[in-house]
Each structure stands twice: as C-alpha cells, then as structure tokens.
Amino acid sequence: MLIAPSILAADFAHLADEVRAVEQDADWLHVDVMDNHFVPNLTIGLPVVSRLMGTTRLPFDCHLMIELPQRWAVPYAEAGAYNVSFHAEAVDDAVALAKNLRAAGSRAGLAIDRDTPVEPYLEILPHFDVLLIMTIKAGFGGQQFIPALLDKVRTARRHASSGHLDLRLEVDGGITEDTITQAAEAGADAFVAGTAVYRADDPAGAVRRLRRAAGSAAP
Ligand code: DX5
Ligand code: ZN
C-alpha cells in the first residue's frame, strides 16, 4: 500500500516545507502538472518540480495533465522523477512514450480520466509500471470521489492478476479515510490524497491514518 500526498493542496509558497512535513510517512510525493489546455487549470512545471526534487528523498510521482506529453514527459524522467504518468487521452502512441520514459530511467504511468474506459488499454499494460485511474474528473483538487469508477480498478486488477503483471494500480481524486477502504477493496494499491493530507491539521498523521484505513480493507 503506497500513500502519495498530492502537493496540489499544499501551500505553494512553502513547497519544500510542505514536502518535509510528510517525508517520514509518505511513500511517494504526487505532483500534478497542469497546462490549462488538457485541463482548465494551471499549476507548476519542470523548473519548480526539479528544484523541489533536490529538497527531499521522497520519490516523485509526476502526474502530467498536459497536452503533448510526448514533448514534455521525458524531461521529468531525466530530472529524476521516480514515475511519470501521462494521460491516455493526450497521446496517439502511448507505448512509444512508455518506452521512452523507461529508457530515460523512470517508471512509466498511464493515466485514464473519468470518462475514459479502461478496456482499450488492457493490452498495453505490460509496457507500464503504474496505471493511474482517476476517481474524479482530472483538473482540480477537493472534488467528491466517484465510487462507480472503481469498476475500472476491479477490471484492471483482474487483468493484472491473471496476466501476472507487475503493475501499481493508483487511484487519484477524493481519497479520504472513508473512500480509501473501498478503493483498496477494489484492488488499488497506491493512493493519492491532496485535501485529506494537506488540509488536515497534521499532514503526517493524516498519511498514517490513510495507510491504516487502506490496510483495514477486506481482502
Ligand atoms: C486532480 C489531481 C489530484 C488532486 C487530488 O486532477 O490529479 O491529484 O490533487 O486532490 P484531492 O485528494 O483533494 O481529491
Ligand atoms: Zn493527480
């Protein structure tokens, strides 16, 4: 079970401090890169992300919500990202980009947004290390978790298990101490949480509580 706090909900004026606040308890740091084209929101880009990497030992899980990821994703890998996820809806050749990311030294992640079915992508999953299934519409933090989207997690988990794939199933959006249990029961094993971590009084404690709640899921 991996917990990945999303700095989208952190204080952007104090990013390094906000990362340090969860460093002992988090597994990955989730970084949402948005370009105001693929989604109607704008966040941070490579200069900020790569500087932030230098302040922590946490592996960076970069979630690119951008157009033309074939142009921008590899530089995140070269800068030292642990995983780079790009959106299936934004590329023509997802496999080619996954190969380039792996060649550049990072894991490759495929993200699928709320309205995208998972079935068309099952066949290409061996090229990926992470499948990021949105449990909201990508673009903004603080939205309500959509339980129906867990059907995609179940489908992907069945497929990954039967094919013996070495694949992380990550969920992103509306993850709280309540919803994380359902997501874990559906087969997710990596959990992004923005609001639930960074709007809590004690972000590190919130990470620990999320981990406990995920661990309490029925097998
Ligand atoms: C939204 C981002 C999420 C966001 C989740 O498109 O991909 O990572 O930070 O925020 P919460 O946990 O508040 O739903
Ligand atoms: Zn995200």
Side-chain angles (χ1 to χ4, degrees), residues 1-85:
M1 297 286 181
L2 302 181
I3 309 292
S6 164
I7 54 166
L8 186 63
D11 178 353
F12 271 34
H14 300 98
L15 282 177
D17 296 337
E18 295 279 70
V19 173
R20 209 165 302 120
V22 297
E23 198 168 35
Q24 300 305 319
D25 293 282
D27 300 287
W28 294 348
L29 188 77
H30 185 83
V31 177
D32 292 300
V33 175
M34 305 187 190
D35 68 351
N36 182 38
H37 290 276
F38 182 73
V39 289
N41 195 2
L42 182 69
T43 56
I44 54 176
L46 189 57
V48 177
V49 176
S50 64
R51 283 298 296 246
L52 198 57
M53 276 183 209
T55 72
T56 178
R57 52 157 199 90
L58 275 179
F60 272 46
D61 175 37
C62 297
H63 176 194
L64 306 186
M65 284 160 276
I66 61 172
E67 288 181 349
L68 298 176
Q70 63 276 23
R71 185 148 127 209
W72 297 107
V74 167
Y76 285 83
E78 289 168 346
Y82 175 83
N83 175 62
V84 181
S85 292

Side-chain angles (χ1 to χ4, degrees), residues 206-219:
V207 173
R208 292 193 293 271
R209 286 194 300 277
L210 286 166
R211 190 187 303 287
R212 264 200 301 279
S216 73

Side-chain angles (χ1 to χ4, degrees), residues 150-189:
L150 292 180
D151 283 344
K152 292 193 239 182
V153 177
R154 292 185 193 98
T155 300
R157 174 53 70 201
R158 271 197 304 275
H159 184 82
S161 302
S162 67
H164 306 287
L165 299 184
D166 186 9
L167 184 72
R168 281 277 166 195
L169 284 185
E170 185 177 24
V171 284
D172 184 5
I175 297 296
T176 64
E177 274 182 68
D178 294 324
T179 60
I180 198 170
T181 317
Q182 305 168 44
E185 282 170 359
D189 57 9

Side-chain angles (χ1 to χ4, degrees), residues 105-123:
S106 83
R107 275 76 179 166
L110 185 69
I112 55 173
D113 206 352
R114 182 191 65 188
D115 301 328
T116 304
V118 71
E119 286 81 1
Y121 300 100
L122 295 175
E123 285 308 308

